[in-house]
Amino acid sequence: MSSLMENLHERAEELQAILDGITEPLVLIDPGFRVRRVNKATLEFSEEAEFPFVLGRKCFEVLYNRTAICPYCPMKDHHENEADFDAQFEGKGEIGREIFHVANNQKETLYLDFFPIRKDGSVVSIVEKISNITRLKEKEEENLRIRNLASLGIFISGVAHELNNPLTGMSLTLQNLMNNLSSMDPEFFKKRLEMIKEDLTRAAMIVLDVISFAKPDKLVTTNADIHETIMKAKDSVTWVYPVLSKNTEWEILSEPGTTFQFNPVKMERLFINLFKNSLQAYDYGEGKIRVEVRRTRNMMHIIVEDTAGGIPEDMLDKIFSPFFSKNKAGVGTGLGLSICHSIVREHSGELTVRSFDRKTRFKISLPLVQPKGA
C-alpha cells in the first residue's frame, strides 16, 4: 500500500512539474466554480504566493477579483449547485473568449480557452487557459495604423494625380489661347473652350468622388427611369473620356420607361464609376460593355459586364474596400467601387461581382420600392 501511495505521489509530482513548465496560467475548475488545480503561472497571474492560497476558492475571485461569476464566462448561466457543465458544453468542444482585464492599473487583452473534462459522458470540470495577447493586439493595431497611413498616402497620391491631369490640360489650353488671341479663329477658340470645360468636368467628378466617400448625403428617391439613367451615364463617360472609349462597343439591353423608386443622380454616379472601370481595364483597346436590366416581382437587377480580362480571385474580396485599386500606381483614387457599394447599400440593395472567362460581371439588385426610413 505504501509503495502504491508513493507511486501515486510521484505521478502527481510529475504532472505538476509538467503543468508548471507551461508558461500560461492553467486552472482546473469544478461545477461549483472552485479551483481544483493550477500551475505556477496561475500563482503569478493571481499574485498569490502558494498553492493553498488558491485551491478551493472561487475561480472568478482568484483570477479576476470579482465577487460574482464573470459576465463573459461561457458558464455564467450555470448554477453552482448543478453537478456538471453538460448544458454549457452540449455539442461543443473548447470555447474561446477575448476579454479586457485590468491588472496593476493597466488594461490587458486576454484570450481565454475553456476545455471540457468529461467523465462517463458528463462534463465534470473544465480547464481554463489564460493567454495574454496584449502585445499581439498592440502589434496588430500598430500594423493597422501603418496600413491606414499607407492607404491614405496612396489615396492622396491618386487624387493629386487625377486632378493634375485636367489642371495641366486647362493650363496648356489657356496658354495656347493667350498666345493666339489676336489671330484666333472663332471655331478654334470655341474648341479650346470646350476642352477647358471638359477638363473642369473631370476635376469636378474627382472632387465629387471624394465628397461622396467622406460625407454621404441623405438618400432622397423618386420614381425614375433606369434606362435613361444608364444612357446619361454612358454619354457622360464617353464625353469625358473620348479617347479611352473610342474603340468601345456598347450593348444596352433595357427599354425606355423602366421606372422604379431610386435616386437618379446617385445611380448615375454608380454607373459612371462602373463604366469608367471597364474603359480603364480595356486600356484604349477594343472591347464591349454590356448592360442588361432585368425586372422580377420585387427587385430590379442591372448587370454590367466587360471582357477586359477579369479580376484575380485574390482581389475579389478587396475591390469594394476604400483606397483599393488594381490599376497601376497613380491611376485612380481607389474610391470608385467603394462609392458604388455605398450607393447600393443606401438603396437597401446588393452589389455583387463575379469574374470568369476573362469577364467581369457586376450585378446590382435594388428593391422596386424603398423601405420606409431608407
Side-chain angles (χ1 to χ4, degrees):
M1 186 70 177
S2 175
S3 174
L4 179 61
M5 292 299 294
E6 287 178 3
N7 188 36
L8 289 173
H9 184 69
E10 286 178 7
R11 292 295 178 88
E13 287 184 342
E14 286 178 5
L15 176 60
Q16 188 63 49
I18 292 171
L19 293 175
D20 290 342
I22 298 172
T23 58
E24 294 178 320
L26 292 173
V27 188
L28 182 67
I29 303 169
D30 70 14
F33 293 100
R34 291 179 293 270
V35 176
R36 290 306 181 192
R37 192 169 200 134
V38 298
N39 61 354
K40 281 189 176 179
T42 306
L43 294 181
E44 295 173 8
F45 179 82
S46 60
E47 299 182 345
E48 295 289 356
E50 301 289 342
F51 290 114
F53 299 150
V54 171
L55 301 179
R57 291 170 60 192
K58 299 292 186 181
C59 57
F60 47 81
E61 175 192 343
V62 171
L63 300 174
Y64 306 111
N65 297 315
R66 291 180 177 271
T67 56
I69 300 169
C70 305
Y72 44 77
C73 179
M75 291 82 65
K76 61 181 170 50
D77 296 326
H78 168 81
H79 194 278
E80 57 186 271
N81 291 330
E82 295 178 66
D84 53 53
F85 290 116
D86 287 356
Q88 285 69 40
F89 282 88
E90 185 178 2
K92 299 176 185 175
E94 63 190 75
I95 299 174
R97 292 282 190 277
E98 184 177 306
I99 69 162
F100 293 110
H101 175 64
V102 178
N104 299 320
N105 295 321
Q106 300 222 345
K107 188 163 70 172
E108 299 176 330
T109 305
L110 306 178
Y111 192 86
L112 312 181
D113 286 292
F114 300 88
F115 302 93
I117 305 297
R118 289 182 167 87
K119 182 179 180 181
D120 299 329
S122 292
V123 180
V124 295
S125 58
I126 61 159
V127 173
E128 179 177 346
K129 181 167 78 73
I130 304 170
S131 303
N132 191 327
I133 60 170
T134 306
R135 301 292 172 266
L136 179 63
K137 297 298 287 186
E138 288 175 351
K139 189 68 176 176
E140 287 178 357
E141 290 172 3
E142 179 64 22
N143 289 337
L144 180 60
R145 282 193 291 271
I146 292 171
R147 286 199 301 271
N148 285 342
L149 286 172
S151 296
L152 184 60
I154 293 169
F155 167 61
I156 292 170
S157 174
V159 172
H161 178 85
E162 287 282 280
L163 282 174
N164 189 55
N165 287 336
L167 291 174
T168 300
M170 284 186 282
S171 176
L172 292 173
T173 305
L174 285 170
Q175 286 180 32
N176 186 275
L177 284 173
M178 291 174 68
N179 292 335
N180 297 278
L181 275 175
S182 58
S183 59
M184 190 172 293
D185 179 75
E187 283 300 316
F188 182 82
F189 188 80
K190 182 180 178 182
K191 186 176 180 180
R192 289 296 182 270
L193 287 178
E194 287 177 350
M195 290 172 64
I196 293 174
K197 183 180 178 181
E198 180 180 310
D199 284 330
L200 281 169
T201 303
R202 288 179 62 188
M205 282 185 172
I206 295 163
V207 173
L208 186 59
D209 271 347
V210 177
I211 292 172
S212 297
F213 175 75
K215 188 180 179 182
D217 299 325
K218 184 179 179 181
L219 184 69
V220 178
T221 63
T222 185
N223 198 47
D225 187 341
I226 193 66
H227 174 82
E228 181 183 327
T229 302
I230 292 169
M231 296 306 295
K232 284 177 69 176
K234 168 188 171 290
D235 293 341
S236 295
V237 166
T238 53
W239 180 60
V240 175
Y241 304 101
V243 180
L244 200 60
S245 59
K246 182 179 179 182
N247 298 314
T248 304
E249 178 186 349
W250 294 81
E251 184 180 8
I252 310 292
L253 302 176
S254 68
E255 296 293 332
T258 307
T259 60
F260 69 106
Q261 192 178 351
F262 64 94
N263 184 302
V265 175
K266 291 199 172 190
M267 205 57 61
E268 184 182 347
R269 291 298 306 145
L270 180 148
F271 291 121
I272 286 173
N273 279 321
L274 291 181
F275 296 161
K276 183 174 71 173
N277 272 11
S278 295
L279 291 175
Q280 289 177 340
Y282 281 124
D283 195 20
Y284 300 95
E286 293 184 357
K288 178 195 281 188
I289 297 176
R290 181 177 177 273
V291 185
E292 181 180 358
V293 177
R294 300 175 184 170
R295 184 173 189 149
T296 58
R297 183 176 179 181
N298 299 313
M299 302 288 289
M300 188 69 72
H301 305 282
I302 306 104
I303 295 167
V304 178
E305 181 181 283
D306 65 53
T307 55
I311 300 172
E313 188 72 27
D314 61 344
M315 289 187 180
L316 281 175
D317 61 343
K318 303 174 185 175
I319 62 172
F320 296 121
S321 301
F323 315 124
F324 178 79
S325 174
K326 69 186 185 73
N327 295 323
K328 58 189 177 182
V331 178
T333 61
L335 284 177
L337 289 178
S338 178
I339 291 169
C340 291
H341 190 263
S342 297
I343 291 171
V344 173
R345 192 171 60 242
E346 280 184 286
H347 283 78
S348 304
E350 183 181 18
L351 175 60
T352 58
V353 60
R354 286 184 60 208
S355 186
F356 60 98
D357 298 335
R358 297 186 61 79
K359 295 180 181 178
T360 301
R361 177 181 294 170
F362 289 93
K363 183 178 180 182
I364 304 128
S365 300
L366 304 170
L368 295 178
V369 178
Q370 287 296 305
K372 289 183 179 180

